Amino acid sequence: MDVADLVDTSTGRQSRSIYSSEPIYRQELERVFGRCWLFLAHTSQIPQPNDFFRTYMGEDDVIVIRQKDGSVKAFLNTCTHRGNRICRADRGNARSFTCNYHGWSFAPDGALAGVPLENEAYFGELDRSKFGLVPVAQVAEYKGLIFGNFDPAAPSLEDYLGDAKFYLDVWLDALPGGTSLVGETQKMVLNTNWKLPVENVCGDGYHLGWAHAGAMMAVQSMDLSGLSVGNSSANLEGGLSVAGLNGHMALTFLDGVSGYAFYPDPKPMLDYLEANRPTAIERLGKTRGEQLWGSQINITIFPNLQFLPGLNWFRVYHPKGPGQIEQWTWAMVENDMPEEIKATILDNQCLTFGLAGLFDNDDGDNLAACTEQSRGWRTSQMDVYTNMALGRSGAREGFPGDIAAGLVSEHNQRYFYRRWQEHMQASSWSDVPAYNLNSLASREAVDA
Amino acid sequence: MLDVRPQPALHDTVTALTQRLFHEARLLDDERFEEWLELLCEDVSYHMALKSRRFRADRSAPIAVGAGNVFNDNLARLKLRIDRLRSGFVWAEDPPNFVRRVVSNVEVLDADEPNEAVVHSVVVIHRNRIDGQTRLLTAGRTDRWRKGGESWLLAAREIALDHSVLPDSNVNVFF
Ligand code: FES
Ligand SMILES: [Fe+2]
């Protein structure tokens, strides 16, 4: 397969085969999920020593474990004897993990700690040090978010995130207390290729007024992105589509309150924002403290992590073949929030973007049908387009990235597929380009 | 949890409430949502909590702020969901899915309040979706029904969903 033909960023074209082809999917597992930094867990989900959390990296089952010294390790969740899954719980606290098949047991640091009949059956000849759990090559944390990477040659997490940190920090670092994910994991199977929900959330402001019209009519306080019900009219001025940051993206309002204005009773949330605004400005500077903190923001970390400060949902998509994902969602809070506000956020997140979410429930079937319509003999040879507002982007004072005005453009989606193509074409990290367009640091250097 | 004395109710009550559950299921199957709302108390609570799979011996601390919910609804929220479904803009329900509820294992017990009964039941929701595929959703329910005049009204429903990963792309249904 020639990956160069699958995506054309200059025209916004994608081949539909990228949503259905098994060989392309196998290559994604190797070159995207096998190479990129993938979100594993939030530090708040494993606060105590021996706390563990089970997740996936691509299709590989992984356990993330808090160590005695406070550090975090991650291991493939598979027994080194015959391959059985060693941990079958979603989360918890365990002093050891004992395999159900023959009873090998592993310590939280991955060491093989016990082998039944070790002397009698193995004659004492088993070198336990060679049969510990297999660790994920790199594990690193950025301000509470724990990521793993299967590729020992991958750049550091800091470099990988690059200038996307400017936007990430609006949630992660606005206040000194840091952040948490709350609630149990909301898990749902969707019959979609994994890229479709990512492109939907990373840049598709266009679908809000139409796909979610029913919910928008019912929940009239939610004027998402300035769109009217039925996409009949729109105020497209009010935000930015930010891309060109190593495949990471942001879609943001600039008013500093819109995220919380969507709540049914916004008053306590807005009071919280105003009480803490000076601190946020002090920590993030005027632009971010005034314009971004409190705004509705969609943030995408390539390839499969997305979160929305404001509506406060945090989500990863785990691929299960070319045509299926598990979508995992949590509510996100700032630790400095009063308990009532945290509870309101959890409740509202479940109501809007939970398993029975008024908005979330509109997206799944569209994504599934786009996937299915890429699988036929004829449709798999056809193309789809993200060609809205081509070429209408550039630098913007005070913000890093290549930026298009407003939330309704397909600017971010094109960068998402460009990054996907760059990874799919590269045989190793040394062939993957790094770019943080219009970086603030470089512009200051030019100005000086 | 609801406070339950394991006291089977009188035969008439059992019959009336069992019929109530069947009637309710038929109203929902037929999308007669407004008539369904008339079966609910003004102060109804309609709840389904999120769960995770944990080892039996697990002793880790409860999740801060709480587990979160699939449904945490009062009457106003249920009406909100119905307003959405009635908007004509919920594309996932047009053409309508084939939805059929099977209600079973009905057990009616006297509640502490003289005019209330606790009703356990199981509901299986068969959804034949737009993609031609069938999804089955299974849940246990513990209800509190209150007698208002001649008829029984639902005061509280606690729903235990039996899926750790929801096997469908939406929950545009009531349990
Ligand atoms: S497979 Fe785990 S002990 Fe044999
Ligand atoms: Fe959506």
Side-chain angles (χ1 to χ4, degrees):
Chain A
M1 119 199 51
D2 190 352
V3 178
D5 294 338
L6 298 177
V7 168
D8 182 351
T9 306
S10 67
T11 59
R13 179 186 64 81
Q14 296 92 40
S15 159
R16 296 194 193 202
S17 63
I18 70 172
Y19 307 111
S20 58
S21 148
E22 186 71 36
I24 292 174
Y25 175 69
R26 297 309 303 182
Q27 187 163 325
E28 287 176 331
L29 289 183
E30 175 202 332
R31 296 192 170 184
V32 177
F33 292 93
R35 177 190 289 162
C36 291
W37 284 95
L38 303 175
F39 176 76
L40 298 180
H42 190 286
T43 191
S44 61
Q45 294 174 305
I46 44 169
Q48 300 297 326
N50 299 340
D51 279 355
F52 69 88
F53 196 89
R54 242 186 84 197
T55 185
Y56 296 97
M57 294 175 67
E59 289 207 38
D60 286 304
D61 199 324
V62 166
I63 332 174
V64 190
I65 309 172
R66 176 77 63 188
Q67 304 294 302
K68 277 206 184 63
D69 66 1
S71 66
V72 174
K73 287 189 156 82
F75 303 98
L76 286 160
N77 184 15
T78 182
C79 183
T80 49
H81 177 224
R82 299 301 305 150
N84 191 19
R85 180 177 285 122
I86 61 153
C87 175
R88 301 187 300 170
D90 297 332
R91 64 178 184 84
N93 182 282
R95 262 170 288 179
S96 68
F97 296 92
T98 302
C99 179
N100 295 332
Y101 200 177
H102 311 95
W104 285 22
S105 72
F106 298 88
D109 66 357
L112 176 56
V115 174
L117 304 177
E118 188 170 8
N119 287 321
E120 297 85 336
Y122 283 96
F123 302 97
E125 290 166 0
L126 183 74
D127 182 354
R128 283 206 220 162
S129 70
K130 292 201 166 66
F131 289 91
L133 292 178
V134 173
V136 172
Q138 298 196 63
V139 174
E141 182 186 325
Y142 182 74
K143 298 184 181 179
L145 307 186
I146 303 163
F147 290 82
N149 197 313
F150 281 130
D151 188 347
S156 71
L157 177 61
E158 289 271 341
D159 287 350
Y160 181 86
L161 296 174
D163 277 357
K165 286 181 284 191
F166 177 90
Y167 300 97
L168 277 173
D169 286 354
V170 172
W171 179 53
L172 292 173
D173 214 6
L175 298 182
T179 61
S180 291
L181 294 186
V182 294
E184 297 282 9
T185 310
Q186 301 159 41
K187 299 182 182 180
M188 174 180 247
V189 171
L190 296 177
N191 292 326
T192 175
N193 181 270
W194 68 272
K195 294 184 287 302
L196 290 165
V198 179
E199 72 151 74
N200 173 269
V201 173
C202 84
D204 192 336
Y206 192 33
H207 84 292
L208 297 172
W210 187 252
H212 298 295
M216 284 174 68
M217 283 175 82
V219 187
Q220 289 181 354
S221 64
M222 290 199 173
D223 173 21
L224 285 168
S225 91
L227 288 170
S228 310
V229 172
N231 266 4
S232 53
S233 66
N235 168 13
L236 303 180
E237 303 300 299
L240 302 178
S241 296
V242 182
L245 306 171
N246 279 343
H248 314 308
M249 275 110 13
L251 196 65
T252 183
F253 283 87
L254 299 169
D255 51 63
V257 294
S258 50
Y260 295 92
F262 292 145
Y263 283 71
D265 175 19
K267 175 90 170 61
M269 332 291 283
L270 298 176
D271 289 349
Y272 162 79
L273 284 179
E274 287 333 301
N276 290 281
R277 177 102 39 211
T279 314
I281 293 173
E282 195 181 306
R283 296 171 65 87
L284 299 173
K286 224 166 136 48
T287 306
R288 286 184 294 171
E290 282 180 355
Q291 293 189 269
L292 298 189
W293 188 66
S295 288
Q296 178 56 42
I297 314 180
N298 297 18
I299 293 175
T300 300
I301 299 303
F302 189 89
N304 65 337
L305 169 65
Q306 300 193 300
F307 56 96
L308 277 70
L311 289 171
N312 289 308
W313 58 258
F314 188 103
R315 180 171 284 174
V316 287
Y317 311 97
H318 298 301
K320 304 281 174 195
Q324 197 173 73
I325 61 166
E326 258 183 46
Q327 172 175 290
W328 290 15
T329 308
W330 302 272
M332 45 193 278
V333 300
E334 288 166 341
N335 293 334
D336 289 289
M337 288 171 168
E339 291 307 308
E340 316 85 73
I341 290 198
K342 292 180 188 170
T344 302
I345 285 175
L346 175 59
D347 187 53
N348 195 66
Q349 180 267 311
C350 291
L351 176 67
T352 51
F353 287 86
L355 295 180
L358 295 168
F359 287 83
D360 217 47
N361 278 187
D362 293 323
D363 288 316
D365 285 10
N366 289 332
L367 307 178
C370 292
T371 300
E372 198 172 325
Q373 300 304 330
S374 303
R375 224 171 48 198
W377 173 76
R378 186 65 186 89
T379 49
S380 65
Q381 303 170 54
M382 290 167 60
D383 294 322
V384 281
Y385 288 90
T386 51
N387 54 1
M388 183 190 290
L390 266 168
R392 293 170 190 274
S393 63
R396 168 127 179 175
E397 181 68 39
F399 296 90
D402 181 19
I403 296 178
L407 304 193
V408 180
S409 84
E410 288 167 342
H411 171 69
N412 284 8
Q413 291 96 309
R414 288 191 289 277
Y415 268 102
F416 171 64
Y417 287 108
R418 170 173 159 183
R419 190 57 170 175
W420 177 86
Q421 187 177 40
E422 288 163 353
H423 273 288
M424 292 289 280
Q425 285 178 312
S427 55
S428 74
W429 260 109
S430 51
D431 300 329
V432 180
Y435 46 89
N436 287 286
L437 302 180
N438 305 317
S439 97
L440 296 185
S442 71
R443 277 189 276 170
E444 275 158 23
V446 172
D447 292 347
Chain B
M1 275 315 283
L2 295 164
D3 188 17
V4 179
R5 278 184 290 132
Q7 196 62 250
L10 290 172
H11 186 75
D12 284 356
T13 307
V14 175
T15 309
L17 280 167
T18 306
Q19 288 299 309
R20 202 64 165 163
L21 292 185
F22 294 165
H23 178 61
E24 184 198 10
R26 188 161 58 85
L27 291 181
L28 288 172
D29 289 348
D30 294 346
E31 298 186 351
R32 290 158 65 185
F33 299 124
E34 292 73 17
E35 291 169 73
W36 180 63
L37 287 172
E38 286 169 16
L39 304 187
L40 310 181
C41 293
E42 288 288 322
D43 61 344
V44 68
S45 122
Y46 185 90
H47 187 240
M48 180 193 283
L50 289 163
K51 292 184 284 201
S52 59
R53 267 190 211 288
R54 315 272 293 279
F55 285 122
R56 290 174 193 269
D58 187 55
R59 297 283 176 272
S60 53
I63 282 194
V65 193
N69 306 298
V70 182
F71 292 99
N72 186 28
D73 291 6
N74 54 18
L75 192 61
R77 274 201 187 172
L78 291 169
K79 283 184 175 158
L80 189 67
R81 292 184 193 277
I82 289 168
D83 285 348
R84 170 176 169 275
L85 291 168
R86 283 281 189 243
S87 69
F89 285 99
V90 177
W91 314 122
E93 300 298 322
D94 193 7
N97 298 294
F98 298 145
V99 180
R100 197 74 65 194
R101 287 161 182 77
V102 179
V103 176
S104 179
N105 301 30
V106 180
E107 194 183 350
V108 181
L109 305 167
D110 284 338
D112 284 345
E113 296 293 319
N115 61 339
E116 292 190 355
V118 170
V119 182
H120 298 284
S121 63
V122 171
V123 63
V124 177
I125 307 182
H126 173 284
R127 298 184 86 195
N128 185 251
R129 296 289 314 283
I130 288 166
D131 58 8
Q133 306 291 311
T134 293
R135 277 79 161 185
L136 286 178
L137 299 173
T138 305
R141 307 185 298 188
T142 299
D143 297 347
R144 203 152 40 79
W145 290 81
R146 190 182 297 151
K147 189 135 196 195
E150 278 313 288
S151 72
W152 289 94
L153 299 177
L154 182 65
R157 172 164 290 167
E158 184 66 43
I159 308 155
L161 183 69
D162 298 330
H163 303 270
S164 65
V165 181
L166 184 83
D168 207 346
S169 60
N170 65 52
V171 188
N172 288 338
V173 288
F174 297 103
F175 285 78

